[in-house]
Amino acid sequence: MKYQFFIKPNTDRKAYTFLRSDSETFLKEKQQLIDQGFEVDGDYIHAESDKEAIDKFLSGFIYPLEEYSAANPVTALVMSVTHLLKSSFKRNKK
């Protein structure tokens, strides 16, 4: 199963929730979470159960992988541009 996690900004990942992407109401619930101020956190997590998905999310293992990827100059450039675009869209939204 694939899980997508959402966090509230500025909470050090302590305020989080998740959705299973195979749910019939996934897109509707995802939009509701975003409307409530949650942000998508990372990529999908593949797990056999909710507990396993939460354990993987809380382990923080995904973030060292992102840091490792950012060590490559090309990847770092792409990630920087992506973050810049996301932040500019957020500012324009307000």
Side-chain angles (χ1 to χ4, degrees):
M1 293 177 273
K2 288 187 342 184
Y3 294 83
Q4 188 163 58
F5 279 78
F6 302 82
I7 60 166
K8 278 279 194 172
N10 305 317
T11 62
D12 294 325
R13 298 178 79 217
K14 289 185 173 82
Y16 69 90
T17 190
F18 64 91
L19 297 172
R20 285 185 36 190
S21 66
D22 62 349
S23 166
E24 291 181 12
T25 58
F26 172 73
L27 293 176
K28 183 178 178 181
E29 291 175 304
K30 179 179 180 177
Q31 188 58 52
Q32 289 173 346
L33 289 172
I34 290 170
D35 291 345
Q36 292 173 29
F38 282 87
E39 295 179 351
V40 173
D41 186 61
D43 204 354
Y44 289 100
I45 292 178
H46 296 268
E48 295 298 319
S49 67
D50 293 356
K51 182 182 179 337
E52 181 183 348
I54 292 169
D55 290 344
K56 286 183 176 184
F57 173 76
L58 294 176
S59 76
F61 182 68
I62 294 165
Y63 293 96
L65 290 177
E66 287 179 356
E67 292 297 318
Y68 177 77
S69 296
N72 180 317
V74 174
T75 307
L77 176 63
V78 171
M79 289 176 71
S80 296
V81 170
T82 302
H83 288 295
L84 179 65
L85 289 172
K86 282 183 180 179
S87 64
S88 73
F89 282 123
K90 286 180 187 175
R91 277 190 232 133
N92 289 338
K93 210 175 191 180
K94 293 178 182 179

